[in-house]
């Protein structure tokens, strides 16, 4: 078999992952409250996993390697997900939507919260996938950049559309065609993660914030502005403000965005680049306004009348966590039926009402209104058509681009 040597992590890429472990999406809101403290111990093994070489390809990128499907005889599915990323009942021991799936299909779900961060989890499953073995999991949930890597390695299976009628029909348009998985041949969105501008009304003291330009250029906000330490979010929002498309930008466009931010850093406009620890700066008023993650803002708004958000006219960034079926999964059809189940509006609404992330399911709003009218009318959870039209994704990067771009961003942020 031909040997495949995956992209090695440059020092800049490794530093970016460590930033994520300390304070970035790896430490974000409800999904990751339990995993935020684990980064340091996990980083060593995780980085080694991504840096390993000489891994055999497992079928190119045409859909990976299937195995004998035992779904008909074994009415079960093994589902690995992030911590605190699904609905629970009052006992905190059962998941109502999974119980509904079992009653509806007769298929039991072994649900495991064993994904603490993308890199560490990749380290868990890499040996089996590289050896062409079953990981013991039928569904895994990975953030878009790592999902793209596994698809490129040929380590996840192509989905059977005939088992996914609701998913195919109800997937929101903004998530349908990522450049790393055209047509969603290998993945479906579990939840979306949006990047917006948040502000503290009291700290603004009458100043108006409508755009990234306001954050970067308004002298009255000097030293009270925050940007995120996640490169794709801060650069993506800046590119949009400059009239560039984050899904189709050049190296020169990237350098121009870096220069725009560097100017603001040099003049003291930006107080600091943060992970989700910006929440304390925002609530205290140390930040008058900042680039923020919508999942945080939903919770902050519930706790403080001073916190609010805006969607810039230029648009906002969205990333995704995605369900995939790894190679040699024993229950592929059952896994596809579970993916499809969560694209029915009722269970999708129950999930959204509990976790408050962006639902990828069209038609969920009417069901969510029955459970939580406030959530149903919150555009950070259920984007309306106008907001969805402003959503943008950061394009896939080559290994060389990622190394170069992360080096420049690390220099900007002082990481």
């Amino acid at each position: 078999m031909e040997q495949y040597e995956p992209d090695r992590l440059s020092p800049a890429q490794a530093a970016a992952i460590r930033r994520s472990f300390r304070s970035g999406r790896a430490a974000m809101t409800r999904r990751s409250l339990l995993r935020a403290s684990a980064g340091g111990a996990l980083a060593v093994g995780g980085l080694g996993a991504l840096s390993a070489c000489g891994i055999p390809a497992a079928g190119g990128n045409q859909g990976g390697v299937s195995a004998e499907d035992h779904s008909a005889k074994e009415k079960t599915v093994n589902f690995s997900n992030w911590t605190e990323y699904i609905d629970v009942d009052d006992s905190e021991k059962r998941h109502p939507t999974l119980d509904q799936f079992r009653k509806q299909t007769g298929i039991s779900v072994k649900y495991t919260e064993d994904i603490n961060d993308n890199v560490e989890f990749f380290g868990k499953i890499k040996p089996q996938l590289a050896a062409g073995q079953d990981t013991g999991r039928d569904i895994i949930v990975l953030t878009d950049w790592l999902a793209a890597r596994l698809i490129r390695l040929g380590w996840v299976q192509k989905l059977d559309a005939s088992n996914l009628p609701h998913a195919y029909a109800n997937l929101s348009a903004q998530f349908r065609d990522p450049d790393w998985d055209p047509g969603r041949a290998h993945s479906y969105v579990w939840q979306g993660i949006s990047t917006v501008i948040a502000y503290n009304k009291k700290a603004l003291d009458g100043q108006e914030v409508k755009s990234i330009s306001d954050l970067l250029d308004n002298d009255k906000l000097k030293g009270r502005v925050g940007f995120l330490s996640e490169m794709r979010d801060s650069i993506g929002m800046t590119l949009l403000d400059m009239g560039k498309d984050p899904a189709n930008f050049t190296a020169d466009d990237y350098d121009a965005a870096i220069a725009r931010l560097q100017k603001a850093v040099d003049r003291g406009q930006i107080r600091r680049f943060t992970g989700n620890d910006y929440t304390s700066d925002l609530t205290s008023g140390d930040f008058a306004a900042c680039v923020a993650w919508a999942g945080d803002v939903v919770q902050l708004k519930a706790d403080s009348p001073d916190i609010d958000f805006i969607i810039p006219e230029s648009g906002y960034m969205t990333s995704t966590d995605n369900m995939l079926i790894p190679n040699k999964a024993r229950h592929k059809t059952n896994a596809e039926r579970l993916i499809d189940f969560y694209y029915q509006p009722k269970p999708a609404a129950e999930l959204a009402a509990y976790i408050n992330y962006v639902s990828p399911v069209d038609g969920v709003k009417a069901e969510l209104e029955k459970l939580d009218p406030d959530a149903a009318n919150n555009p950070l959870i259920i984007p309306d058509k106008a907001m969805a039209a402003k959503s943008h994704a950061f394009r896939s990067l080559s290994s060389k681009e990622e190394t170069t771009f992360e080096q420049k961003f690390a220099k900007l942020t002082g990481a």
Side-chain angles (χ1 to χ4, degrees):
M1 179 180 290
E2 180 182 359
Q3 295 293 301
Y4 180 90
E5 183 170 332
D7 306 333
R8 291 179 179 272
L9 287 181
S10 68
Q13 290 171 301
I17 290 174
R18 290 189 184 98
R19 287 200 303 275
S20 182
F21 280 139
R22 291 195 303 267
S23 57
R25 283 203 183 111
M28 190 176 67
T29 62
R30 176 184 292 167
R31 183 186 74 182
S32 49
L33 291 175
L34 296 181
R35 62 194 172 95
S37 63
L42 298 173
V44 175
L47 291 172
L50 282 183
S51 300
C53 62
I55 298 173
N61 60 358
Q62 301 304 310
V65 178
S66 61
E68 182 181 353
D69 191 349
H70 298 265
S71 294
K73 294 181 179 179
E74 299 176 5
K75 295 297 184 179
T76 187
V77 61
N78 298 309
F79 184 7
S80 284
N81 203 350
W82 300 78
T83 56
E84 300 199 27
Y85 208 18
I86 197 170
D87 55 307
V88 298
D89 65 8
D90 290 340
S91 72
E92 298 188 357
K93 294 180 180 180
R94 302 192 68 84
H95 306 292
T97 56
L98 294 181
D99 289 343
Q100 290 173 36
F101 175 74
R102 178 181 52 77
K103 292 176 182 177
Q104 186 178 113
T105 65
I107 300 169
S108 297
V109 181
K110 181 182 178 183
Y111 184 78
T112 308
E113 294 183 333
D114 61 345
I115 305 180
N116 293 302
D117 59 71
N118 286 287
V119 178
E120 182 266 344
F121 185 71
F122 182 80
K124 284 183 181 180
I125 63 176
K126 176 183 72 75
Q128 294 101 318
L129 291 174
Q133 299 172 353
D134 180 11
T135 66
R137 300 167 176 88
D138 300 306
I139 298 178
I140 55 178
V141 178
L142 301 176
T143 305
D144 42 23
W145 66 267
L146 185 55
R149 179 181 287 266
L150 263 66
I151 291 170
R152 187 170 69 246
L153 286 169
W155 285 358
V156 295
Q157 298 187 53
K158 191 170 184 178
L159 301 173
D160 183 347
S162 67
N163 292 326
L164 298 158
H166 297 98
Y168 181 81
N170 295 335
L171 177 63
S172 297
Q174 71 183 99
F175 300 121
R176 280 193 175 270
D177 200 31
D179 65 353
W180 49 269
D181 188 21
R184 289 288 176 184
H186 308 84
S187 67
Y188 267 91
V189 180
W190 177 248
Q191 297 291 287
I193 305 167
S194 297
T195 304
V196 300
I197 294 176
Y199 61 88
N200 184 313
K201 299 174 189 176
K202 186 180 294 184
L204 280 180
D205 193 26
Q207 295 299 304
E208 190 173 51
V209 170
K210 291 186 176 181
S211 67
I212 293 295
S213 288
D214 290 334
L215 268 61
L216 296 175
D217 300 332
N218 187 337
D219 289 337
K220 293 185 178 179
L221 300 181
K222 186 175 181 179
R224 298 188 296 135
V225 168
F227 273 72
L228 291 169
S229 58
E230 293 285 351
M231 180 268 285
R232 288 168 175 79
D233 295 309
S234 287
I235 295 295
M237 293 291 280
T238 304
L239 285 168
L240 287 170
D241 189 72
M242 298 169 64
K244 303 296 182 179
D245 182 359
N248 184 28
F249 65 90
T250 66
D252 287 343
D253 294 333
Y254 184 90
D255 288 346
I258 286 284
R260 179 110 168 81
L261 290 168
Q262 186 67 61
K263 182 179 178 181
V265 169
D266 292 344
R267 63 190 291 265
Q269 185 76 9
I270 296 175
R271 185 182 184 96
R272 65 191 185 102
F273 290 83
T274 73
N276 78 322
D277 50 329
Y278 68 81
T279 57
S280 58
D281 288 315
L282 188 63
T283 54
S284 69
D286 287 341
F287 282 168
C290 62
V291 179
W293 288 308
D296 291 325
V297 177
V298 170
Q299 297 174 48
L300 292 174
K301 277 175 60 65
D303 295 333
S304 172
D306 292 326
I307 305 302
D308 213 333
F309 74 98
I310 62 103
I311 302 297
E313 190 62 33
S314 59
Y316 66 101
M317 299 301 298
T318 300
S319 59
T320 54
D321 287 329
N322 310 274
M323 295 177 281
L324 306 103
I325 299 176
N327 283 355
K328 296 298 184 77
R330 189 175 176 88
H331 311 105
K332 181 174 184 285
T333 298
N334 291 347
E336 289 166 338
R337 293 185 69 182
L338 182 58
I339 292 171
D340 194 63
F341 170 78
Y342 277 105
Y343 276 82
Q344 297 178 49
K346 188 175 184 297
E350 293 182 27
L351 181 64
Y354 186 80
I355 63 177
N356 293 159
Y357 281 82
V358 178
S359 175
V361 181
D362 280 345
V364 72
K365 183 173 182 179
E367 291 293 336
L368 187 54
E369 284 177 337
K370 301 174 186 177
L371 303 173
D372 187 341
D374 289 339
N377 292 292
N378 187 334
L380 297 181
I381 300 173
I382 309 294
D384 56 26
K385 288 184 178 180
M387 181 170 171
K390 292 183 178 182
S391 170
H392 297 266
F394 203 91
R395 71 169 172 84
S396 297
L397 301 178
S398 68
S399 179
K400 183 177 180 180
E401 284 180 321
E402 187 162 6
T403 296
T404 301
F405 291 174
E406 286 288 6
Q407 285 174 342
K408 292 177 178 180
F409 190 71
K411 183 178 179 180
L412 168 73
T413 62

